[in-house]
Amino acid sequence: MKTKEGFMLRSVGGRHIVVAVGKASESFNGLITLNESGAFLWKELAKGCTYDELLKSMLDNYDVAEMTARAGIDQFLNTARSAGLIEE
């Protein structure tokens, strides 16, 4: 999995937002606000990774139970997929 080309994570005023740039901005109007863990997941996906790598990274960097991490990752991925922000 990887974030789709044309979408960038930016920090503005202490907030994390994903914006479309270049050609992507022609078809995607708006922005997506992410919390701290969402920004972390976005950065990991920008490198390209599998679900298991994403989970391992989340567990290594956050003090969270595996079930909770999986639920958060699943919710994030479902939202990102429905917005067309991820390439499988």
Side-chain angles (χ1 to χ4, degrees):
M1 287 180 288
K2 188 171 172 85
T3 54
K4 191 179 263 185
E5 188 174 330
F7 292 92
M8 305 289 293
L9 176 66
R10 297 285 186 237
S11 293
V12 178
R15 300 179 86 180
H16 304 288
I17 58 170
V18 174
V19 295
V21 294
K23 272 195 118 145
S25 65
E26 295 172 9
S27 60
F28 186 88
N29 297 321
L31 55 94
I32 296 172
T33 303
L34 301 176
N35 61 17
E36 197 67 37
S37 58
F40 173 82
L41 292 172
W42 183 270
K43 290 174 188 174
E44 293 299 305
L45 284 170
K47 299 180 223 175
C49 61
T50 66
Y51 183 92
D52 289 339
E53 291 169 335
L54 198 58
L55 177 61
K56 182 181 181 331
S57 187
M58 184 72 132
L59 293 173
D60 289 347
N61 288 279
Y62 287 89
D63 183 23
V64 61
E66 183 175 335
M67 182 180 285
T68 302
R70 283 183 184 276
I73 291 169
D74 291 345
Q75 181 179 3
F76 178 85
L77 291 175
N78 287 337
T79 301
R81 282 181 180 122
S82 67
L85 303 177
I86 294 179
E87 295 175 350
E88 300 293 331

